[in-house]
Amino acid sequence: MSQLYLVRHGQASFGAANYDQLSPLGYQQAQWLGEHFRALNIQFDRVVTGSLSRQQQTAQAILDGNAQSLPLNVDEGFNEFDFHGLARIYCRFSEIPVPGTANGGREFFQMLRKAMIAWSRGELHAVDSEPGDLALETWDQFHDRVHDSLQQLIAREQDETVLAVSSGGAMAMVLSQVLHCGVDTLINLNMQTRNTGVHHLFYNQRGFQLAGFNALAHLQQPGRMDALSYT
């Protein structure tokens, strides 16, 4: 069987004008993860990322830490859903202001949980868009693009070890399809996955088996516990 190490990107620039860039801590988290893989003698045959900068920056830093040089294969199916756009539309729908990013964004993520439930029920597409809004993909479109990317991995299965760098929501969608769980569990999985958390799966052309969830051994060490982050 092949192995898939599905990794969430490092800490991004939450609260900044451009979220889609790793913070200095995010680069460090990814570098440490690469060094951890190297210490375990885990070498990758192929690397897949979404098209987002934070995902590709994370993948490259992991490879640097693992002393590997591999091309990044871009698959937009592993992109995150537009959670900023979802938040704006949900708050317009609910007639509430978009929460700020104080206290680590706790209020924002509490709102995002409610927004994801409404999104999964198809309740938000009746909300009129405003100038500058991007079209919000439907929940089914999100489900299907992640599913299609997983099927592409299966189709190319060649007894290999693959690194895939994605984001929390897309990774939760992967696990929901592997474990056949519902929306509430998917959202819980999304909210638990930390930056550079590792999901380990085995797979062949019959499907996937989960072997590990949100592993953080590279950060859960003396002197690094403050590097644990969610954003």
Side-chain angles (χ1 to χ4, degrees):
M1 297 185 75
S2 292
Q3 296 187 65
L4 173 64
Y5 290 87
L6 181 59
V7 177
R8 188 185 175 205
H9 61 77
Q11 185 190 63
S13 300
F14 188 67
N18 181 13
Y19 171 75
D20 191 26
Q21 296 289 322
L22 290 189
S23 68
L25 175 59
Y27 278 106
Q28 182 65 81
Q29 291 166 332
Q31 178 81 23
W32 278 334
L33 179 55
E35 293 170 358
H36 178 70
F37 285 136
R38 187 179 184 189
L40 296 177
N41 198 30
I42 296 172
Q43 294 285 293
F44 300 105
D45 300 301
R46 182 157 55 103
V47 181
V48 180
T49 78
S51 65
L52 302 177
S53 295
R54 61 189 182 272
Q55 298 169 343
Q56 297 184 13
Q57 291 163 357
T58 298
Q60 189 57 59
I62 291 170
L63 289 174
D64 291 345
N66 201 25
Q68 278 197 272
S69 179
L70 289 172
L72 304 184
N73 298 283
V74 176
D75 183 341
E76 293 184 354
F78 288 109
N79 282 1
E80 183 64 295
F81 65 88
D82 179 13
F83 67 89
H84 288 297
L86 176 63
R88 287 194 301 271
I89 291 172
Y90 175 77
C91 289
R92 194 180 307 147
F93 174 77
S94 303
E95 298 182 346
I96 59 174
V98 178
T101 59
N103 299 319
R106 179 177 299 176
E107 291 183 358
F108 180 89
F109 288 107
Q110 289 173 343
M111 176 276 302
L112 185 60
R113 178 185 292 272
K114 297 175 183 177
M116 290 181 70
I117 293 172
W119 179 35
S120 73
R121 294 172 177 169
E123 296 174 355
L124 300 184
H125 290 276
V127 180
D128 292 334
S129 61
E130 293 184 350
D133 279 354
L134 297 176
L136 179 68
E137 68 180 334
T138 66
W139 182 266
D140 287 344
Q141 288 171 335
F142 177 42
H143 173 281
D144 290 349
R145 68 171 168 85
V146 172
H147 176 268
D148 290 348
S149 293
L150 289 177
Q151 293 306 305
Q152 290 179 32
L153 273 177
I154 289 175
R156 292 188 56 180
E157 193 268 328
Q158 299 175 349
D159 192 21
E160 60 183 353
T161 300
V162 178
L163 169 67
V165 180
S166 185
S167 297
M171 293 171 67
M173 181 61 79
V174 167
L175 294 189
S176 77
Q177 294 179 17
V178 171
L179 301 175
H180 306 288
C181 60
V183 172
D184 287 343
T185 300
L186 183 157
I187 294 172
N188 287 336
L189 293 171
N190 180 20
M191 297 300 176
Q192 292 176 43
T193 304
R194 299 199 186 197
N195 296 120
T196 62
V198 181
H199 302 344
H200 182 202
L201 300 100
F202 288 91
Y203 70 96
N204 57 25
Q205 294 189 13
R206 293 188 299 275
F208 289 83
Q209 296 292 330
L210 181 65
F213 169 73
N214 200 26
L216 292 157
H218 60 295
L219 300 181
Q220 293 171 323
Q221 300 182 22
R224 295 185 184 178
M225 294 299 291
D226 288 345
L228 292 165
S229 64
Y230 285 97
T231 59

